[in-house]
Amino acid sequence: MSNNQPDISQYTISQEPFYEPQGDEIALYGAAYAARLPVMVKGPTGCGKSRFIEYMAWTLKRPLITVACNEDMTASDLVGRYLLDANGTRWLDGPLTIAARIGAICYLDEIVEARQDTTVVIHPLTDHRRTLPLDKKGELVTAHPDFQLVISYNPGYQSLMKDLKQSTKQRFCGLDFDYPDIATEAAIVSKESGIDSDTAKQLVQIAHTARNLKGHGLDEGISTRLLVYAANLMQQGIEKRAACRMALVRPITDDHDIRDTLDHAIASVFA
Amino acid sequence: MNAIDFSPYRQQLKCNFSRIEDVFEECIFDALYHLSPQGVERYLEGASLVCKIGRGFEPVLIYLEEIPEMANRLGEEIISEVADAVWRMSRSPNGVAIPHFMQCLPEASRRLCCDEQMRHFIKLIFTMMEATTKSIHGFHSTIPSPGLPQLLQQIPHLLNQLSLEGLKNWIDYGIRNYNNHPERQRDYFSLQSADSKAMLQRERHGTLYVDNERKLDLYLRGLWQLQDHFIPYSLGFDELRKPQPYFDPVGIRLPDLYDDRNGVSGIDRYRALLAHVAAHKRWSSEIFVDNFSPFQRVAIETFEDSRVEYLAMRHFPGLRQLWLKLHPQPDENDCHPEQESCIRHRLAMLSYALLNPQHNYQNPDILSYVEKFHALMANSDSSLQEIANLAVSFIARTRRQQDQAPNVYFKDTEIDYRDDNRHLWIFIEESDDEDYPEQPEKRRVSDDKLEGLPPRHYPEWDYQSKSYKPDWVSLYESMHPSANSADIDTLLAKHAALAKRLKRILDLLKPQYFQRIRYQEEGSDLDLDIAIRSLIDYRCGSQPDPRINMSHIHNGRSIAVTLLLDLSASLKEVPDGCEQSILELSQEAVSLLAWTIDQLGDPFSIVGFHSDTRHNVRFYHLKGFSESWDDNVKGRIAAMDAGFSTRMGAAIRHAAHYLESQQSDKKLLLILTDGEPSDIDINDAQYLIQDTHRAIEEIGAKGIYSHCITLDKKADEYIADIFGPNGYTVVDHVEKLPEKLPLLFTSLTS
Ligand SMILES: Nc1ncnc2c1ncn2[C@@H]1O[C@H](COP(=O)(O)OP(=O)(O)OP(=O)(O)O)[C@@H](O)[C@H]1O
Ligand SMILES: [Mg+2]
């Protein structure tokens, strides 16, 4: 049953993803991978965490299996389960098991969303054992030597119910991400969207305005992702200010005073 | 709090209304916290004066109750000014209006932000009174102003719609037209007559500062990463010189109203001013005034204004359009250098040419200095010193005989979105006129012991020596006194709509608290997943699991919460634009939160604290974990009172001591405060901040989460140092607190 190996090719990244380094994260991650240490990437939404992992998987030539975690996810959603079929039952590996078998990088996105009883299944995989017990199946999968686990984690969440247990946290080494400096972020926006670099800089300036207001009516500032959206709209021929209002302001807040301030910032930047 | 001896103060108050005794303690208590010792003395003198006028008890009562808070808001000058005004009114035939006058003061003081405006306001009332009080020719008697009581009754309404200048115009119109028609004067000032309403409409123009404070705050923060105090002033009172915006260490002075102009909305005019000020703050330094002649100084100011604006436009090109619309465009040929002083004209032209590349000036000096300016700015930010040299050479180059002439050409030379540049100059001779009054030293009440438990001692962290001072703080705990619990029910009834909304949110949260218990042989529901798995096992030939049912229990949450309330004196303040004091808003918020948590069934306690030096931190229990949300608890919340200072560390440690012994998985300490830790025996602000931070770390190590809700808009400077980057929430809009607090709690714990 389990010997019909899944098709690895679907998980491999064929083209080099564009990733603009912010610091020495590539070297640090490389070292962690060389030692097969599990990694946790932290940072605000849309600052390039997922993109970085994709890029590293490509650099290290490993397949990448990404799981977006949610509250309803159970351990079997990660590990696998038996299914009924016409002539009996059939075991189906979950994404974590597949990754452990084929030696992929397994990326659990937004791990805090998963319930704590789900997250504990990764424990044996993330310490010296590097094994994954499939209780139902009576199998103990030993992880492929190339296998690595990565989780992402947004510390901005202000909920103590959604925190990782210490015993989970302490199985990872961590990399902090934040929005990059102005020049780097502008380079990213312009590369991603093809927009000219002056406009990209102006977009970043608007993002900074919003990031300054975090905690004063805004929960999160404007992310790099939204800047790319705004630039894409401009590339579609939308007028700059309109594109900004649509991609940068409307999604993040309904607070009238803040909208008004951001709209004014847009008008000041795009004269 | 009960054992203070108030009798010496009572003796200073010369007034024999028996009803005074009912309120005196409360009022003097208030005064002792808000006022300096001299202030208290003046307060009692003032009250005696108001008593002496023989207008009954009411004016005295209002005076006693309202003055401490007003003085706290506007400065202690106001204490004698009000008493004095009442006295003068009583000497006129207008004594009947005194209660009305007293009644409109609190609202006026809230709307009019600062003492100068308040003084203008009182003067305005007296001008009206004097103009409308008539003496009958040949008799010694006079007749009171017919319209004054009506006017005073309308004041709160009027001030909500008009700037002070608008109010003045509206009053002036009434005096001009109805001074000799008592009946119609009354109609006018009570807003009955048609032209009275029409005048109100006419004066109700422009963008009022008070309505846009938050937007301006967000503007400075968002675009300039600045925060500052705003201090509005009114136009139309200083007849000699029109006041101009300026800023100093106290804050930014700006007009209390801007009309739209040249297609620029009032709010954008405020932004134009703030952008200019922010540019100065970012790029201007200071320079010695004594080295320059008066002409050189104005030139330096103009050049420096242009420099910082130029730099600002590099960041925000849109500012050029905004400023251009507000900048005058002096006509090159308007001023005649042979007949008048053209110094202002010349500089305004230069300033315009620097702002507008499409200017059409031909004057070779202007052209050459525009070029020099741009050369200077081409590759750098330049500096005040450099620009001063350029300005000095401009003056030397363009000097005219007539510059010294007394008739200075003024038209189109006034750039009113710019500040007066006083911040640029340093004087070698320190001038000794202090502009702002010193912080009144707060009077402390000493020696009142709380009965009950012996004190507990807590250590305090001294960040300078990096060590604990053992048993440094004495903490006394007691049950909070009680008042009428029905008051709280009234508060909750007022928020019925909000409670309904909360209820809906709580219902959404609820399913999560139903924990599914799976693997039950008997239960309320068939667990389909497990049932299928058992079937699969059965088909595979292995032993099927018979536990295919599930049931629910209501126990997903295991969280204990303590709410720690800062009960320091500042809670009595009424924030700008609010009707209620922070204390009242906190009572509402706490009641709603307690109600919310009660609905959720989490173990919950409420405690409060304040401090009066390290020897006396008081800690009050308002609700214990074992108590339910009942009338006893409500009664204690109803009695919540504010006083003394905010020594937070010991209170946190003590609250944690109780929370720690709770059985829940998660423990949360919520701290509600309106300012930074402080106490009267501490001068180093960092000391208590560091100790509080230490206390938070200590309790964190015990597995207690803490989260601070602060009402201090300026909290950014220190709050993250205490509670960590995600350990706090700043509530900018205090009046939203009752709504915010429960929502914050639910989002923190969901
Ligand atoms: N350093 C970077 N190099 C290239 N692109 C980047 C970089 N940082 C951000 N981006 C752009 O931002 C977008 C969002 O990044 P990404 O999806 O990786 O965010 P994330 O941190 O994973 O966010 P979330 O926490 O919401 O999942 C990317 O699609 C990419 O366009
Ligand atoms: Mg992502």
Side-chain angles (χ1 to χ4, degrees):
Chain A
M1 290 180 278
S2 57
N3 28 8
N4 47 348
Q5 282 283 326
D7 176 13
I8 297 193
S9 67
Q10 60 176 319
Y11 300 119
T12 45
I13 297 160
S14 50
Q15 274 200 346
E16 172 170 4
F18 162 63
Y19 179 73
E20 184 69 43
Q22 302 184 7
D24 49 2
E25 71 270 23
I26 295 181
L28 290 175
Y29 188 99
Y33 182 77
R36 299 297 184 272
L37 296 176
V39 170
M40 152 189 330
V41 290
K42 296 183 178 189
T45 183
C47 71
K49 301 184 295 287
S50 304
R51 178 62 65 89
F52 172 66
I53 300 304
E54 234 176 274
Y55 175 79
M56 289 313 298
W58 184 85
T59 313
L60 298 166
K61 309 217 164 18
R62 298 316 314 155
L64 174 65
I65 300 181
T66 301
V67 184
C69 301
N70 63 53
E71 271 182 326
D72 291 334
M73 207 169 64
T74 62
S76 355
D77 291 325
L78 284 175
V79 169
R81 57 165 55 94
Y82 276 111
L83 297 179
L84 279 176
D85 67 8
N87 24 10
T89 56
R90 182 167 62 86
W91 172 262
L92 189 73
D93 279 343
L96 185 63
T97 313
I98 297 177
R101 285 192 205 280
I102 67 175
I105 293 176
C106 183
Y107 178 37
L108 304 181
D109 206 356
E110 297 299 1
I111 181 96
V112 274
E113 293 291 339
R115 289 210 316 267
Q116 293 192 343
D117 55 333
T118 309
T119 38
V120 291
V121 305
I122 65 176
H123 283 195
L125 263 180
T126 47
D127 51 31
H128 63 279
R129 292 172 279 179
R130 286 179 61 85
T131 53
L132 180 62
L134 309 179
D135 294 336
K136 267 285 144 59
K137 195 163 173 250
E139 182 185 347
L140 183 68
V141 180
T142 306
H144 186 287
D146 293 341
F147 167 79
Q148 188 201 22
L149 189 69
V150 183
I151 61 177
S152 82
Y153 177 70
N154 187 344
Y157 279 121
Q158 289 194 341
S159 172
L160 36 131
M161 299 316 243
K162 279 188 191 147
D163 198 4
L164 292 179
K165 277 177 190 285
Q166 274 300 329
S167 60
T168 306
K169 284 185 187 170
Q170 299 212 8
R171 294 181 133 74
F172 291 85
C173 38
L175 280 175
D176 265 333
F177 282 72
D178 204 342
Y179 304 116
D181 60 70
I182 298 185
T184 314
E185 194 167 10
I188 293 170
V189 173
S190 118
K191 180 84 199 280
E192 282 285 289
S193 61
I195 201 119
D196 63 280
S197 68
D198 282 346
T199 310
K201 271 214 195 73
Q202 289 165 318
L203 282 169
V204 175
Q205 206 185 344
I206 294 166
H208 278 258
T209 306
R211 289 171 201 167
N212 291 338
L213 297 180
K214 184 172 170 184
H216 293 273
L218 276 186
D219 293 335
E220 276 286 0
I222 295 170
S223 67
T224 313
R225 180 184 0 252
L226 287 182
L227 296 183
V228 174
Y229 286 1
N232 284 336
L233 287 174
M234 292 178 190
Q235 293 294 73
Q236 294 297 315
I238 304 288
E239 195 264 330
K240 288 180 180 175
R241 279 173 279 193
C244 286
R245 282 195 296 270
M246 175 173 170
L248 305 185
V249 182
R250 298 302 174 264
I252 66 167
T253 181
D254 295 314
D255 181 323
H256 184 77
D257 290 348
I258 292 192
R259 281 190 170 191
D260 200 54
T261 304
L262 292 179
D263 285 351
H264 178 81
I266 291 167
S268 300
V269 168
F270 291 109
Chain B
M1 307 183 187
N2 315 323
I4 315 170
D5 182 13
F6 290 121
S7 54
Y9 300 112
R10 181 62 189 86
Q11 278 157 22
Q12 279 184 53
L13 171 59
K14 310 244 173 338
C15 193
N16 296 326
F17 291 107
S18 61
R19 282 158 67 199
I20 283 211
E21 314 311 331
D22 302 340
V23 296
F24 184 73
E25 284 205 1
E26 241 169 73
C27 295
I28 192 73
F29 201 70
D30 223 29
L32 287 169
Y33 280 108
H34 282 313
L35 308 178
S36 70
Q38 299 91 311
V40 173
E41 210 151 284
R42 280 202 241 168
Y43 166 69
L44 292 170
E45 271 167 27
S48 311
L49 196 64
V50 175
C51 189
K52 236 190 332 200
I53 61 174
R55 281 286 153 189
F57 178 57
E58 203 191 333
V60 189
L61 178 65
I62 301 178
Y63 186 92
L64 284 173
E65 281 185 336
E66 300 288 349
I67 286 291
E69 212 181 288
M70 270 170 60
N72 191 38
R73 212 161 27 218
L74 303 174
E76 297 193 349
E77 295 298 305
I78 208 73
I79 304 175
S80 336
E81 269 160 36
V82 168
D84 199 50
V86 172
W87 179 252
R88 279 193 288 145
M89 207 175 265
S90 76
R91 303 283 92 185
S92 81
N94 292 294
V96 274
I98 290 176
H100 298 301
F101 177 66
M102 291 303 297
Q103 250 149 13
C104 79
L105 285 180
E107 177 61 21
S109 78
R110 265 187 283 279
R111 224 30 218 189
L112 296 172
C113 83
C114 51
D115 57 339
E116 199 194 333
Q117 286 208 334
M118 194 67 192
R119 223 165 285 143
H120 283 317
F121 171 74
I122 295 180
K123 210 165 116 200
L124 187 58
I125 297 297
F126 271 78
T127 315
M128 186 276 177
M129 178 179 96
E130 280 150 20
T132 50
T133 307
K134 293 281 150 168
S135 60
I136 302 167
H137 194 68
F139 291 84
H140 269 304
S141 71
T142 45
I143 36 178
S145 159
L148 183 62
Q150 274 74 12
L151 168 65
L152 292 171
Q153 278 169 316
Q154 293 299 330
I155 285 295
H157 177 65
L158 290 167
L159 280 179
N160 263 315
Q161 322 211 17
L162 300 179
S163 68
L164 201 46
E165 189 190 5
L167 179 65
K168 177 173 186 290
N169 294 341
W170 184 80
I171 292 179
D172 283 349
Y173 183 93
I175 301 175
R176 252 198 329 277
N177 291 286
Y178 301 112
N179 209 357
N180 298 318
H181 305 277
E183 228 16 81
R184 287 164 70 184
Q185 186 183 116
R186 260 191 287 270
D187 281 353
Y188 182 90
F189 285 110
S190 54
L191 270 172
Q192 298 294 318
S193 66
D195 63 340
S196 157
K197 287 180 195 155
M199 255 322 268
L200 179 64
Q201 278 311 325
R202 212 177 87 193
E203 288 301 326
R204 217 176 73 184
H205 54 76
T207 305
L208 289 182
Y209 161 79
V210 268
D211 298 333
N212 288 285
E213 194 186 345
R214 176 162 184 257
K215 273 191 194 167
L216 300 182
D217 190 56
L218 290 171
Y219 176 81
L220 272 191
R221 242 181 239 285
L223 281 79
W224 296 96
Q225 283 177 279
L226 284 177
Q227 53 192 41
D228 210 334
H229 262 299
F230 298 120
I231 305 154
Y233 57 78
S234 345
L235 298 162
F237 281 89
D238 274 292
E239 272 108 36
L240 282 178
R241 267 196 68 192
K242 224 166 109 192
Q244 215 186 328
Y246 70 91
F247 66 94
D248 62 13
V250 182
I252 302 173
R253 323 292 150 120
L254 30 66
D256 62 353
L257 168 144
Y258 264 138
D259 285 319
D260 298 359
R261 189 204 286 170
N262 297 347
V264 181
S265 65
I267 182 76
D268 279 347
R269 285 186 68 191
Y270 277 113
R271 289 178 179 137
L273 164 63
L274 290 183
H276 182 87
V277 166
H280 271 309
K281 286 186 171 238
R282 189 172 293 179
W283 291 292
S284 281
S285 51
E286 293 173 323
I287 196 166
F288 279 108
V289 76
D290 310 67
N291 305 337
F292 301 102
S293 74
F295 284 164
Q296 289 172 335
R297 278 183 232 161
V298 278
I300 291 171
E301 290 182 356
T302 307
F303 273 84
E304 177 67 357
D305 282 340
S306 297
R307 182 181 76 94
V308 297
E309 287 185 3
Y310 184 88
L311 292 170
M313 289 183 300
R314 266 193 200 155
H315 287 252
F316 297 108
L319 285 173
R320 187 184 300 276
Q321 274 317 308
L322 183 59
W323 281 331
L324 259 183
K325 285 189 204 155
L326 299 171
H327 197 293
Q329 299 179 31
D331 189 307
E332 182 156 11
N333 305 314
D334 269 1
C335 185
H336 306 289
E338 310 76 36
Q339 304 154 16
E340 53 197 340
S341 167
C342 288
I343 181 89
R344 288 184 59 95
H345 180 252
R346 217 151 56 228
L347 285 168
M349 265 170 56
L350 180 81
S351 167
Y352 182 74
L354 290 176
L355 196 57
N356 188 0
Q358 268 91 274
H359 69 90
N360 289 321
Y361 297 143
Q362 304 299 326
N363 181 321
D365 288 336
I366 296 287
L367 297 183
S368 118
Y369 274 84
V370 167
E371 205 169 294
K372 285 187 184 161
F373 176 90
H374 287 298
L376 202 60
M377 301 303 295
N379 304 312
S380 74
D381 290 357
S382 186
S383 66
L384 175 55
Q385 190 58 58
E386 247 179 13
I387 213 79
N389 296 340
L390 190 65
V392 168
S393 87
F394 177 79
I395 288 294
R397 175 65 182 270
T398 61
R399 195 180 353 243
R400 294 282 183 289
Q401 259 301 304
Q402 286 297 320
D403 282 352
Q404 306 281 353
N407 53 334
V408 180
Y409 182 86
F410 249 96
K411 186 174 160 256
D412 289 336
T413 62
E414 203 189 345
I415 308 163
D416 66 0
Y417 68 83
R418 290 181 179 168
D419 61 280
D420 70 1
N421 283 321
R422 65 180 65 190
H423 54 91
L424 291 180
W425 305 108
I426 345 178
F427 296 82
I428 296 177
E429 287 282 305
E430 263 316 316
S431 75
D432 49 8
D433 56 351
E434 264 295 345
D435 243 1
Y436 22 98
E438 269 182 44
Q439 280 296 325
E441 186 201 323
K442 300 243 154 122
R443 172 84 183 214
R444 45 186 263 244
V445 184
S446 53
D447 270 3
D448 46 328
K449 296 241 162 45
L450 278 153
E451 64 296 285
L453 297 164
R456 279 171 176 274
H457 297 290
Y458 280 98
E460 207 158 74
W461 176 254
D462 180 358
Y463 75 105
Q464 299 215 312
S465 65
K466 298 202 173 43
S467 62
Y468 283 103
K469 296 177 175 166
D471 290 346
W472 191 248
V473 180
S474 311
L475 179 143
Y476 296 83
E477 61 184 312
S478 62
M479 201 55 112
H480 197 282
S482 211
N484 188 0
S485 65
D487 293 351
I488 295 299
D489 288 326
T490 323
L491 286 186
L492 284 173
K494 177 177 144 197
H495 284 290
L498 176 57
K500 220 183 241 161
R501 242 180 65 214
L502 279 169
K503 184 112 183 130
R504 235 176 295 146
I505 297 173
L506 295 177
D507 288 344
L508 282 180
L509 281 175
K510 279 230 169 97
Q512 296 184 8
Y513 316 140
F514 278 109
Q515 203 176 32
R516 255 193 317 208
I517 312 211
R518 300 179 112 174
Y519 303 110
Q520 307 275 296
E521 282 193 37
E522 284 173 35
S524 54
D525 285 303
L526 182 68
D527 187 339
L528 214 55
D529 281 353
I530 314 269
I532 292 173
R533 256 176 250 172
S534 284
L535 184 61
I536 291 167
D537 289 345
Y538 182 67
R539 290 261 187 93
C540 289
S542 53
Q543 180 68 35
D545 190 339
R547 299 171 298 166
I548 57 168
N549 286 306
M550 60 180 171
S551 56
H552 293 102
I553 53 162
H554 172 96
N555 192 20
R557 282 169 80 91
S558 172
I559 176 162
V561 188
T562 293
L563 176 65
L564 177 63
L565 301 169
D566 167 0
L567 297 177
S568 62
S570 50
L571 239 61
K572 287 208 178 140
E573 277 164 29
V574 177
D576 293 345
C578 285
E579 311 266 274
Q580 295 166 287
S581 67
I582 304 180
L583 181 69
E584 285 165 343
L585 287 163
S586 301
Q587 279 174 318
E588 291 179 17
V590 169
S591 308
L592 275 162
L593 180 66
W595 175 82
T596 307
I597 299 183
D598 191 58
Q599 299 277 307
L600 291 171
D602 299 329
F604 174 48
S605 76
I606 307 175
V607 293
F609 76 101
H610 52 211
S611 68
D612 180 29
T613 76
R614 71 184 175 93
H615 303 291
N616 202 354
V617 173
R618 298 100 182 282
F619 189 93
Y620 300 102
H621 295 270
L622 290 111
K623 174 184 181 303
F625 284 110
S626 54
E627 282 179 292
S628 58
W629 174 233
D630 57 16
D631 284 353
N632 288 332
V633 174
K634 289 180 193 170
R636 283 180 223 130
I637 292 178
M640 257 167 73
D641 199 0
F644 304 96
S645 311
T646 321
R647 201 179 201 101
M648 218 181 262
I652 289 174
R653 293 181 176 99
H654 195 57
H657 161 79
Y658 287 108
L659 188 52
E660 203 187 346
S661 54
Q662 285 295 305
Q663 292 300 318
S664 312
D665 290 350
K666 305 254 174 179
K667 292 155 197 167
L668 172 64
L669 179 64
L670 280 178
I671 300 158
L672 179 63
T673 173
D674 67 336
E676 63 186 307
S678 68
D679 207 343
I680 50 175
D681 55 343
I682 300 289
N683 291 322
D684 175 6
Q686 272 302 312
Y687 174 81
L688 288 178
I689 289 181
Q690 295 290 341
D691 173 60
T692 309
H693 175 61
R694 193 74 181 188
I696 292 297
E697 282 182 346
E698 287 163 24
I699 69 167
K702 293 178 181 163
I704 297 175
Y705 295 88
S706 49
H707 192 93
C708 174
I709 299 108
T710 178
L711 307 175
D712 182 3
K713 285 193 202 162
K714 303 267 175 304
D716 282 0
E717 290 161 16
Y718 58 86
I719 195 83
D721 291 344
I722 301 181
F723 297 98
N726 294 313
Y728 65 91
T729 305
V730 184
V731 178
D732 286 326
H733 276 295
V734 189
E735 70 276 13
K736 294 258 170 71
L737 184 68
E739 179 178 344
K740 267 272 168 75
L741 189 61
L743 289 176
L744 189 95
F745 173 78
T746 49
S747 78
L748 266 175
T749 59
S750 61

